[in-house]
Each structure stands twice: as C-alpha cells, then as structure tokens.
Amino acid sequence: MRVVKNYLYNMSYQILLLVLPLVTGPYVSRALGPSGVGINSYTYTIANWFVLLGSIGVAYYGNRQIAYVRNDQKELSINFWEILLMRTATIIGAFIFFLVYVVTIGSYKQYQLVQSSYIVAAGLDISWFFMGIEDFKKTVLRNTIVKVISLAAILLFVKNQNDLYEYILILALSTIIGNITLWPFLKNILVPVKIKDLHPFRHFKGSLALFFPLAAIQIYANLNKVMLGYLDSTNASGFYDKSDVIVKTVLTLATSLGTVLMPHTAKIFSEGKSGQVKNLLYKSFGFISFISIPLAFGLAAISFKFGPFFYGNGFGPVGTGMFIESFVIIFISWASVTGNQYLVPTNQVSAYTKSVFVGAAVNLVLNIPLIKYMGLNGAIIATVCSELSVTLYQILAMRNQISYKKLFCDFHKYLFAGILMFVPTFFMNIKLKFSFPALILEIITGAVIYIISILILRPKILSDLKSFIKNR
C-alpha cells in the first residue's frame, strides 16, 4: 500500500504541474516575449550543468543508498550525514567554477548570476533522503506549496519584458525556500552520530558512477537548447524549451511511477528477492505502456494548434515541435522502468551508464547537421533519436535476465488503441476552430476511444487493476 500511496501523492503533484502551466505558460510567454523566454532558457540550462556537477549523482545514489539502510536508524543517520557532507563540498566547488565561468566567458552575466541561486538550492536539497525512505508525502506537499507561492509571485511581479530579472529570481528563490522546508522533519527520523564515525568520501566512487549517466542525460537533454542558441538563435532555443516543457510535464504522469518504485525495488533487491524484482518490472512496464502510449498519441493529435494557442503570438513553431517530440514520452517512460527501476536499484550501473552515453553520442552526432538544415525541428528529431537509442540499449542489456515476451506481452494492444484514438482526434484538431471547449472535446473523444479499445482488447493490465481493487 505504501507504493500505491506514494504513486498517488506523486501523481497528484504531476497533475498540479499540468494545471499550473495553463496559467504561467501563456502569461510568462506574453509578458517576456520570445526573447525573454529564450534568455531564461539559455542561462538556466548553463547554470543547471553546474548544479549537476556539484550534485555528483546524489539524486540517484543517495536515494538508493538510503533505501538499502533505512531499517537501521543508526546506519540511516550516518549515511545521510556522510552523503550530505560530501555533496556540500562538491557544491561549493561547483559554485566557485560557475562564478569563474560567468566572470570570464559567460554571456548575459546579470542573469547568469541570479541563476547561480539554483546551485545554492541544490546544496540544501535533501529530497533524495525522503525518497529513499519512501516518504513522498513531505516532498509532494513541499513542492505543491512552493509552486503555488511562486505562481502568485509571478502574477504579481512579472508584467513585461523588463521583468525578466524578477522572473528568474522568483523561480530560484522559491526553489531554495522549498528545499529548506524539508529540514525540520529530520529531527524525528535521525539519531545523533559521532563526527569520528563519519567518512563522507567513501560514497564518492558510488555517487560518481551515477554522476556520469546523469551528466550525459543533461548533455543530450539540454545541449540542443545551447546549440540552437549558438547555431540558430535564442528565440529557437526558447521555442524548443516551451515545446519541451509541455512534453516533459505530460511525461511525468507516466514516469512518476518509476520515481516511486526505485527505492522500493532497491529495498527488495537488498533483501535478495530477485524474482519479486522481475515480476515488479513486468507489471510496471505494462502499466507504463498502458499510460504513456495514449499520452504520446493524444498530445501529438492536439499539438499543431495547441502550441501557438497556449503560448500566444510569435510561438507558432512550438506546435510542430510538440508533435515531433511527443513520441519521446513512450521511450523515456520505458527507460524510467528499465533504467531507474531495474538497472540502477540492482547495481547494474555500468549498463545504465553506457545506455545514457549512447544517447548523448547519438544526440551530439545528429545535432549539428539537423540543426543546420532544419533548425528547431532538427534539434527535436535529434532528441527523439537519442531517447530511442537509450531505451533500446537498456532493453538489449537486460536480454539475458528477462523475458521479452512478458515485457511486451500487450504492447501491440496499447499501440493499436493509441493509433485508433489519434486519427479522429488529430482530424478534429485540424478541422475545428481551436478554442478551449474544442480542446476539451478533443481530449474527451480521444480518451473515450482509447478506453473502449482497451476494454475490447482486454490486456493483462485490466486483470491486475481488478485484482488490486478487490484486495484493497
């Protein structure tokens, strides 16, 4: 039941993330314009690389390590302080390197300095600890409160293109405040430990091993924006960012399951229950396919008119970008199961790392020619290809451990139902004059077609859901 509750908590937060952009997205894009949006995207992406450098894989390593020892309160406390001290040292180093970069070669220096607040926020982030003990309630409530407060501040203080500085500051400070709010909860969980018992850098090797794949993910996830800024324009970088924001927001409805199950799987694996781990993998993969395929086809069906309608005048290219990028929802969702839920918790970090580097290499190789000849759409095609390569590598790496027949047992049913919902929804989107009521009608039509198709095709997920409801 803990997994179900955590998934529902995480899912409710992802729904909030879907709702809030309906207010902030159009408002900010109209207030700041393509130029302001592009500058924010460009400078944040660079600052985020230094956040990644300072965090050295703790988001995954800390989560997994805490899950391994969470039944021993003393070991739990020791591991928490050791990992925190290690990351504090690396965050300070990253902050210094970032300041050197800004002073020497960085552009948009005044905005870059404000973005440095995200590095400070990373040093205060202990969400990995609460995820490791499978307490998602606190992180979800924290994130919800912070999002609502930042929304109010944006509506109050961001009015036009001259308020870009304020916009960046609001987002950065809200992240810092949100991370601080988790600290008071530690007093009821941890016990006092002696300083002599702490050996922070014994975790460095394990954390570093997970840093490399995370770094590669950031490269192929954000390199497109930076390269678009250099090879095309900051406007193109902004268009990519706005398309990516919507796709990745929808994506989290599926990948939130992998986030919840990672510490749970790590705990099961540490207890030697490998058979249970594989059964969990098959069920999760089926559920992810059941969710991600309609999300991908549904978003693609409404994208051409939804993008420019959502962001306003000047953001026409976002619609086409969304259509192309929407299919990464399937690939990343699968990888969230095979990688985050299986390879990482079961200590197969090498295979996970190689898969991510394959994706980064594919992205880097394709980016320059595709951006040169196709601009924004070329960058997005490179992203889709890189995500597909990551997923294929992970699935191939597991070939001697799992049954492909069990993994993909109902994929054809979900795919067929997804195509059935896509066709009429897409033509409705093209033919109807776009409006909010028309959008709701298209979404409902697509959802009804998918659900009816699934009920007719009867994949195994239906019996799993029926069994779960019966046993509650």
Side-chain angles (χ1 to χ4, degrees):
M1 284 304 297
R2 173 180 284 186
V3 171
V4 176
K5 289 181 179 178
N6 286 334
Y7 177 65
L8 293 176
Y9 278 126
N10 213 21
M11 177 67 77
S12 63
Y13 177 63
Q14 305 312 327
I15 292 173
L16 176 69
L17 290 182
L18 282 174
V19 173
L20 287 182
L22 294 176
V23 179
T24 58
Y27 180 82
V28 170
S29 62
R30 286 166 172 80
L32 300 181
S35 177
V37 169
I39 292 172
N40 174 60
S41 171
Y42 177 74
T43 55
Y44 171 77
T45 299
I46 293 175
N48 198 46
W49 285 353
F50 287 88
V51 169
L52 176 71
L53 178 65
S55 297
I56 58 163
V58 165
Y60 281 178
Y61 175 82
N63 185 333
R64 187 187 67 182
Q65 187 65 24
I66 293 298
Y68 284 158
V69 301
R70 75 180 192 207
N71 291 333
D72 186 327
Q73 195 174 26
K74 183 178 179 180
E75 280 299 311
L76 180 70
S77 303
I78 289 173
N79 275 265
F80 169 76
W81 289 113
E82 286 179 338
I83 294 171
L84 182 69
L85 288 172
M86 176 194 67
R87 194 182 61 168
T88 299
T90 55
I91 283 289
I92 291 173
F95 190 82
I96 293 171
F97 280 124
F98 180 77
L99 292 180
V100 171
Y101 163 79
V102 172
V103 171
T104 55
I105 60 176
S107 55
Y108 304 108
K109 287 182 170 57
Q110 70 274 28
Y111 300 118
Q112 292 276 23
L113 289 173
V114 182
Q115 299 281 20
S116 70
S117 301
Y118 284 102
I119 305 176
V120 177
L124 298 169
D125 182 20
I126 54 173
S127 59
W128 49 271
F129 173 78
F130 289 95
M131 290 181 181
I133 62 175
E134 293 191 71
D135 187 353
F136 283 76
K137 180 179 179 180
K138 291 183 177 65
T139 56
V140 167
L141 292 178
R142 180 278 308 263
N143 290 339
T144 299
I145 293 171
V146 169
K147 288 291 183 183
V148 172
I149 292 175
S150 63
L151 166 63
I154 289 170
L155 296 178
L156 186 61
F157 296 107
V158 179
K159 303 297 183 182
N160 53 54
Q161 294 182 4
N162 296 323
D163 296 329
L164 176 58
Y165 186 92
E166 288 80 359
Y167 175 68
I168 297 174
L169 187 63
I170 289 169
L171 294 179
L173 288 180
S174 66
T175 304
I176 292 177
I177 294 170
N179 289 345
I180 291 174
T181 58
L182 285 177
W183 282 79
F185 296 107
L186 292 174
K187 64 181 180 180
N188 297 322
I189 303 173
L190 303 179
V191 296
V193 297
K194 297 178 181 179
I195 295 178
K196 67 177 183 179
D197 292 333
L198 300 179
H199 305 283
F201 287 95
R202 74 184 177 98
H203 298 279
F204 187 77
K205 183 178 180 181
S207 187
L208 191 64
L210 284 170
F211 163 76
F212 290 117
L214 286 175
I217 288 173
Q218 289 296 319
I219 289 173
Y220 73 71
N222 294 313
L223 184 64
N224 310 64
K225 302 174 191 177
V226 176
M227 292 185 72
L228 276 170
Y230 277 115
L231 299 177
D232 197 313
S233 65
T234 54
N235 282 10
S237 178
F239 294 145
Y240 181 97
D241 181 63
K242 289 306 178 185
S243 170
D244 193 58
V245 163
I246 293 179
V247 172
K248 295 298 172 60
T249 300
V250 174
L251 170 68
T252 54
L253 291 174
T255 56
S256 56
L257 178 66
T259 303
V260 167
L261 284 176
M262 181 182 173
H264 185 72
T265 305
K267 182 177 181 294
I268 294 173
F269 177 73
S270 69
E271 296 171 349
K273 301 175 182 177
S274 58
Q276 192 173 337
V277 170
K278 291 181 182 179
N279 288 333
L280 189 60
L281 169 69
Y282 296 137
K283 289 185 178 182
S284 299
F285 198 88
F287 181 77
I288 284 289
S289 298
F290 169 68
I291 293 293
S292 64
I293 288 174
L295 289 176
F297 279 98
L299 184 61
I302 66 171
S303 60
F304 281 112
K305 290 186 178 179
F306 177 73
F309 170 83
F310 187 71
Y311 289 115
N313 294 332
F315 286 85
V318 173
T320 305
M322 284 173 55
F323 179 84
I324 300 171
E325 191 181 1
S326 60
F327 295 98
V328 304
I329 292 174
I330 300 172
F331 307 141
I332 298 179
S333 295
W334 283 351
S336 74
V337 175
T338 56
N340 299 347
Q341 189 194 315
Y342 187 78
L343 293 178
V344 172
T346 57
N347 270 329
Q348 300 184 67
V349 177
S350 177
Y352 177 75
T353 301
K354 289 176 183 177
S355 73
V356 175
F357 272 99
V358 166
V362 170
N363 192 58
L364 185 61
V365 169
L366 294 180
N367 251 332
I368 294 178
L370 288 178
I371 290 176
K372 182 177 180 180
Y373 292 106
M374 300 177 67
L376 169 66
N377 294 339
I380 295 178
I381 291 173
T383 296
V384 174
C385 292
S386 65
E387 297 293 356
L388 175 59
S389 65
V390 170
T391 305
L392 289 177
Y393 188 95
Q394 290 182 3
I395 291 173
L396 287 172
M398 298 161 55
R399 63 186 179 276
N400 295 324
Q401 305 172 46
I402 63 168
S403 165
Y404 287 152
K405 184 177 180 180
K406 291 182 179 179
L407 197 67
F408 290 99
C409 65
D410 287 322
F411 168 67
H412 61 289
K413 297 180 181 179
Y414 302 132
L415 182 63
F416 182 71
I419 294 173
L420 279 182
M421 72 170 284
F422 171 80
V423 175
T425 307
F426 177 78
F427 280 104
M428 286 176 66
N429 185 256
I430 295 298
K431 298 295 184 181
L432 296 177
K433 183 179 180 180
F434 198 85
S435 63
F436 189 72
L439 173 64
I440 297 300
L441 177 62
E442 292 162 13
I443 293 174
I444 292 175
T445 300
V448 169
I449 293 173
Y450 185 77
I451 292 171
I452 292 175
S453 301
I454 290 297
L455 291 175
I456 293 172
L457 296 170
R458 301 199 62 78
K460 189 176 181 295
I461 188 68
L462 294 181
S463 60
D464 289 340
L465 290 174
K466 184 178 179 180
S467 176
F468 167 73
I469 294 172
K470 184 179 179 180
N471 293 328
R472 281 200 64 182

